[in-house]
Amino acid sequence: MKKIRFYLAKILGKLSNLGLKILGRNIPYYPGFVALKVCPEFLHYVKKPKLIIAVTGTNGKTTICGLLKDCLENMGLTVLNNNGFNIDTGIASMFLKQKKVSDVAIVEIDEKTSGEIFKSIVPNYFICTNLFRDSMKTNSSVEFILSKIREGIPEKTKLILNADDLLTVEIGRGRKNIYFGIKESINKKNYPHLFCDLVYCPKCGGKLIYTDIKYYHIGNVYCSNCGDTNPERNYEGKVSFEKKKLYINEEDFPLKANSIFNIYNYLAVISLLKEIGFSKDQIVSSLEKVKIIDSRFYQEKIGNITLINQMAKGQNPVACSSVFEYLQNEQGRKCVLLMLDDVTDNRYSSETVAWYYDTDFEILKNSSICQVIISGKRWRDLYVRLLLAEINPEKIWTAEKETDMAAKIRYEKIDKIFLLHDITSYDQSLQVKESIKERLS
Amino acid sequence: MTIEILFPEICDLYGDRGNVLFLEKNFPHAHFVKTTILEEPYFVTHDVQFLYLGPMSEYNLEKVLKKLKIYQKRLNEMIQNDTIFLATGNAMAIFGTTIVKENKEILSGLNLLQIHSEIHLSKRYHSLFLGKFSEENHLIVGYKSQNTFIETKETPLFETIKEKSNTKVEGVRKRNFFGTTLLGPILILNPYFAKYLFSIMGYNQELIFEKQLVNAYNERVLEYQNQDTAYE
């Protein structure tokens, strides 16, 4: 009976996929939703590739999955990925897309639901990037998320963890894991963030001493009480910004990113590929051909001005502040466009703005930032936050509608435009990007 | 004036640092003391006019309770002496009689207020909140995001006009103790409430960026009053 339900779910899921295509609707999780409604054990019964890689963590999941997918496809493998739709319905939709069993499935998993997913899917490898406070609506606290992830990790799954995040290290406590990290100091200006999610030792509660901070609680650390520290890094990265290289255990790899959070994403990807058994040459040649997906990072030089479209995940203070820190460290005079509203939330409800006060808008005071342009439904709240961050009011420009933002830019006074958007405002950011390009060409 | 912020390194979840920032901006000459969980609170040996405790993870709730229990008598004395307390999010639970953990273990609170709390880690309640501060007849707007659920027999702080569940009242007011499960920068979101609170502290001037704060507040009140706005 269960098998019959599974086949029915598969047929209905595929039909709904076809239906969406015919109607021209883009609801990627819907076929999976249908399949799971018909057969809640759909993920258990569906045929899966031999190699399954699961990726979770607060930030970087989608970027890592995108890089991994491109690399593995460049190596000639067929790859499934759920493209950021990281709960059960998105994962079910991913499996509905496969005509025959793929070589690899790269499954992005929401931190809270990994335990549930692992009841049906046993990954060979499980990457955890980092753990930070996230949306207050759903994520409660990092301790809670940590306990949820730890709950259901299968015995045979090999964990690939960020050694520089002791919260992530806690996930693998008591297991033999693979660690990646960057021990050496990176010569970039560090900003003292408004909060730290890991002040005390997760093992004994003693005060943690950070000897080198990469960002937030990511870095070299030891406990002043029990001495607990970062584990030995199996894949230790060293960065050369000048050569655009990432050196891992003395081998060099191309690096097409200069933000610290993306360097960690590259490090996780290379560590995994090495762990699977690919050679340095195979990895280098596949990495040469890949780039971070456009919805996360896009850069184009138009005349004398560089336009950077960068995702800064709203409701996620670490993601936003890390992007602010990255743009602060970039050369040149800058204009920053903030499109951080959760468009979906604001359409039906009223977005919470509590996260503004965990986010380092103070970074935008930097003298290289000549203009900050804000728009969207929450512009009044954002305006207050920028004023409280002591940003010169003359630097703050407001646009009633997003489409008016391009007209507010003082193109003659800047070298770079940073267009920062939320996941939900990506489409609007593309419209603004096009308006900017029209004005520049 | 001395303003003590208790354990800001762990009692800082979800934008409540906005309240501290707002206090600092409006009281630039006040003496701010930020006490970590490893230190003895300043109020133990000094006079403090304003004590602030923000929301924390449920894992840290027990740690903070254990820390403050030693000073139960002093805290009671401060409440009776009309020291201003602001406790936001789940911080209020600590001042109550009992906290029931998810595993049904019962913790005794500071027993300073008639509050009973229950922790349900698997149940996250999130809602917008529209209420009324009857004393001044102002509307209150804010957010609730809870795993700690509170019942109280104390005088409520706000009347509920609308939230996702059917509560009638919100928070606790006892003398100058202001406790609310609302979290986030409640003072910034509610400039009129901030003005009231500051007036008790003897500050009756215009708030910093008052015009902009009121603009944002008025817009939010309209949104929250709109029948079509989902409180999810």
Side-chain angles (χ1 to χ4, degrees):
Chain A
M1 185 60 189
K2 279 184 177 174
K3 275 276 176 183
I4 294 169
R5 274 168 65 169
F6 166 72
Y7 286 115
L8 186 62
K10 197 171 163 184
I11 292 165
L12 291 174
K14 281 185 184 281
L15 279 175
S16 60
N17 208 359
L18 186 69
L20 289 172
K21 269 186 195 157
I22 292 166
L23 293 169
R25 302 285 303 275
N26 182 27
I27 316 173
Y29 64 86
Y30 188 71
F33 171 78
V34 171
L36 287 167
K37 268 275 170 215
V38 178
C39 175
E41 296 92 13
F42 178 81
L43 287 175
H44 176 75
Y45 290 119
V46 73
K47 277 192 180 159
K48 300 168 193 88
K50 278 194 181 138
L51 178 59
I52 300 177
I53 300 157
V55 182
T56 198
T58 309
N59 294 319
K61 297 185 287 285
T62 308
T63 301
I64 286 178
C65 289
L67 287 171
L68 270 177
K69 181 174 185 283
D70 291 349
C71 278
L72 292 168
E73 283 178 344
N74 287 338
M75 290 169 179
L77 299 170
T78 53
V79 184
L80 274 179
N81 176 230
N82 47 334
N83 299 318
F85 293 90
N86 58 22
I87 56 171
D88 55 354
T89 51
I91 296 166
S93 289
M94 172 187 81
F95 284 115
L96 281 166
K97 273 189 273 174
Q98 68 176 351
K99 291 192 176 79
K100 59 174 191 168
V101 180
S102 301
D103 297 320
V104 191
I106 302 169
V107 190
E108 179 181 326
I109 302 180
D110 172 72
E111 307 88 276
K112 295 180 299 300
T113 58
S114 59
E116 277 306 305
I117 300 297
F118 290 155
K119 285 178 187 165
S120 310
I121 298 172
V122 177
N124 305 75
Y125 299 97
F126 181 32
I127 299 176
C128 186
T129 56
N130 48 57
L131 289 177
F132 293 108
R133 69 180 62 183
D134 201 344
S135 160
M136 76 174 187
K137 266 190 187 184
T138 53
N139 274 34
S140 188
S141 64
V142 283
E143 294 96 330
F144 174 68
I145 297 300
L146 175 63
S147 71
K148 292 299 280 181
I149 297 177
R150 283 188 70 154
E151 257 171 29
I153 304 172
E155 273 299 307
K156 61 179 267 197
T157 299
K158 190 178 259 187
L159 304 189
I160 299 187
L161 305 172
N162 185 346
D164 301 348
D165 176 5
L166 284 197
L167 277 171
T168 303
V169 168
E170 272 300 296
I171 293 171
R173 186 75 68 191
R175 300 172 64 120
K176 198 171 181 305
N177 311 301
I178 299 296
Y179 296 101
F180 62 89
I182 302 170
K183 194 173 183 180
E184 70 165 16
S185 191
I186 293 177
N187 191 20
K188 289 251 166 183
K189 202 162 59 179
N190 256 318
Y191 187 85
H193 295 290
L194 289 172
F195 69 86
C196 176
D197 280 321
L198 194 62
V199 179
Y200 299 111
C201 177
K203 247 170 104 178
C204 77
K207 172 94 177 136
L208 289 173
I209 310 292
Y210 287 87
T211 53
D212 181 60
I213 294 175
K214 302 301 186 301
Y215 68 111
Y216 283 88
H217 63 267
I218 310 295
N220 300 343
V221 60
Y222 68 90
C223 173
S224 59
N225 183 44
C226 73
D228 195 31
T229 187
N230 309 90
E232 203 60 42
R233 297 151 178 97
N234 305 78
Y235 296 96
E236 187 180 330
K238 290 181 180 175
V239 185
S240 169
F241 291 103
E242 297 74 31
K243 292 180 185 165
K244 296 191 172 168
K245 295 270 190 198
L246 179 58
Y247 296 88
I248 302 176
N249 303 350
E250 309 308 323
E251 292 181 329
D252 60 300
F253 298 90
L255 179 66
K256 294 179 187 169
N258 48 6
S259 53
I260 184 66
F261 46 93
N262 275 329
I263 292 169
Y264 272 94
N265 292 337
Y266 267 85
L267 187 51
V269 166
I270 297 165
S271 304
L272 176 89
L273 293 174
K274 289 290 287 182
E275 205 53 35
I276 293 173
F278 290 106
S279 70
K280 183 216 162 186
D281 290 345
Q282 283 176 301
I283 298 169
V284 169
S285 91
S286 64
L287 274 176
E288 297 280 11
K289 296 174 210 147
V290 307
K291 66 181 182 84
I292 293 169
I293 53 174
D294 285 351
S295 65
R296 264 54 187 170
F297 180 81
Y298 170 88
Q299 180 171 317
E300 185 179 357
K301 183 139 187 170
I302 310 157
N304 292 325
I305 291 183
T306 306
L307 171 61
I308 296 131
N309 201 3
Q310 165 83 54
M311 189 178 86
K313 211 164 143 194
Q315 308 261 355
N316 181 324
V318 173
C320 274
S321 300
S322 302
V323 170
F324 294 163
E325 199 174 355
Y326 147 69
L327 70 87
Q328 169 201 243
N329 285 324
E330 288 290 286
Q331 297 293 315
R333 299 162 302 160
K334 303 145 212 169
C335 170
V336 180
L337 279 67
L338 297 177
M339 300 180 68
L340 305 176
D341 278 5
D342 185 321
V343 174
T344 319
D345 232 10
N346 282 309
R347 194 175 295 145
Y348 305 105
S349 182
S350 175
E351 185 186 358
T352 58
V353 297
W355 67 276
Y356 287 0
Y357 292 88
D358 281 340
T359 304
D360 297 294
F361 284 98
E362 284 77 3
I363 295 174
L364 302 179
K365 271 195 289 191
N366 186 289
S367 59
S368 70
I369 297 161
C370 311
Q371 236 189 325
V372 180
I373 304 176
I374 59 175
S375 186
K377 203 167 177 186
R378 298 263 68 87
W379 75 265
R380 290 173 187 82
D381 294 305
L382 196 48
Y383 191 58
V384 167
R385 177 66 186 99
L386 295 177
L387 291 175
L388 286 168
E390 296 179 358
I391 293 166
N392 184 347
E394 287 176 13
K395 223 161 90 166
I396 310 170
W397 295 58
T398 58
E400 197 66 34
K401 290 181 281 184
E402 282 94 341
T403 44
D404 297 335
M405 292 176 99
K408 304 269 180 182
I409 301 170
R410 297 159 81 192
Y411 295 91
E412 71 287 359
K413 299 205 168 183
I414 52 159
D415 306 305
K416 285 180 179 164
I417 299 167
F418 286 88
L419 175 50
L420 310 186
H421 61 85
D422 177 48
I423 300 174
T424 60
S425 60
Y426 178 59
D427 289 344
Q428 285 91 329
S429 81
L430 292 180
Q431 289 172 25
V432 177
K433 186 175 91 178
E434 287 313 310
S435 309
I436 294 170
K437 284 172 80 171
E438 272 171 33
R439 284 169 186 274
L440 285 172
S441 47
Chain B
M1 176 168 51
T2 301
I3 297 174
E4 182 169 12
I5 316 297
L6 286 178
F7 325 132
E9 79 284 16
I10 53 170
C11 299
D12 68 335
L13 277 184
Y14 300 119
D16 272 62
R17 68 188 55 255
N19 295 323
V20 179
L21 173 70
F22 197 59
L23 284 165
E24 286 171 336
K25 295 284 180 197
N26 282 286
F27 298 95
H29 303 298
H31 174 216
F32 280 85
V33 182
K34 294 178 182 174
T35 307
T36 72
I37 192 86
L38 302 180
E39 295 169 320
E40 181 183 83
Y42 191 77
F43 68 73
V44 178
T45 49
H46 299 82
D47 278 342
V48 165
Q49 283 71 49
F50 189 111
L51 194 67
Y52 180 71
L53 185 63
M56 63 211 84
S57 72
E58 274 63 27
Y59 300 85
N60 280 327
L61 198 80
E62 208 170 333
K63 212 189 257 186
V64 171
L65 174 59
K66 196 175 163 196
K67 176 84 184 179
L68 289 180
K69 262 211 160 151
I70 316 165
Y71 315 113
Q72 186 189 33
K73 249 175 117 177
R74 170 72 179 136
L75 286 164
N76 187 37
E77 185 187 297
M78 287 166 74
I79 292 176
Q80 300 310 322
N81 287 345
D82 288 335
T83 304
I84 301 167
F85 283 68
L86 180 60
T88 54
N90 58 4
M92 204 168 53
I94 286 167
F95 296 88
T97 51
T98 44
I99 301 171
V100 182
K101 289 169 65 177
E102 189 134 62
N103 62 5
K104 304 293 173 205
E105 185 191 342
I106 299 172
L107 306 173
S108 313
L110 293 175
N111 209 13
L112 301 174
L113 300 165
Q114 288 302 307
I115 295 172
H116 167 76
S117 309
E118 286 187 19
I119 295 173
H120 296 284
L121 288 174
S122 48
K123 194 171 113 187
R124 186 85 175 153
Y125 171 75
H126 180 86
S127 177
L128 304 184
F129 176 86
L130 177 65
K132 196 168 139 189
F133 181 50
S134 306
E135 203 164 323
E136 291 278 302
N137 208 19
H138 297 143
L139 291 176
I140 297 290
V141 282
Y143 325 116
K144 287 186 175 189
S145 268
Q146 296 170 253
N147 288 104
T148 303
F149 300 88
I150 284 164
E151 287 170 21
T152 179
K153 291 174 187 157
E154 300 284 352
T155 308
L157 179 59
F158 306 131
E159 287 171 44
T160 306
I161 296 172
K162 191 176 176 186
E163 70 166 286
K164 206 163 75 181
S165 67
N166 290 322
T167 53
K168 300 265 183 287
V169 289
E170 155 56 32
V172 163
R173 170 77 188 269
K174 184 175 181 179
R175 304 182 79 100
N176 281 339
F177 182 101
F178 296 83
T180 174
T181 56
L182 299 183
L183 49 73
I186 180 176
L187 300 178
I188 294 170
L189 298 184
N190 295 283
Y192 296 118
F193 177 66
K195 281 192 97 141
Y196 171 79
L197 200 64
F198 292 176
S199 72
I200 301 175
M201 297 159 78
Y203 180 88
N204 292 299
Q205 293 169 46
E206 195 170 290
L207 300 172
I208 190 162
F209 308 127
E210 183 165 320
K211 191 178 145 210
Q212 291 84 357
L213 288 163
V214 169
N215 274 345
Y217 166 81
N218 287 338
E219 178 69 17
R220 183 169 282 100
V221 167
L222 283 176
E223 281 179 64
Y224 283 27
Q225 286 177 328
N226 185 338
Q227 291 300 314
D228 295 332
T229 299
Y231 269 54
E232 300 292 321

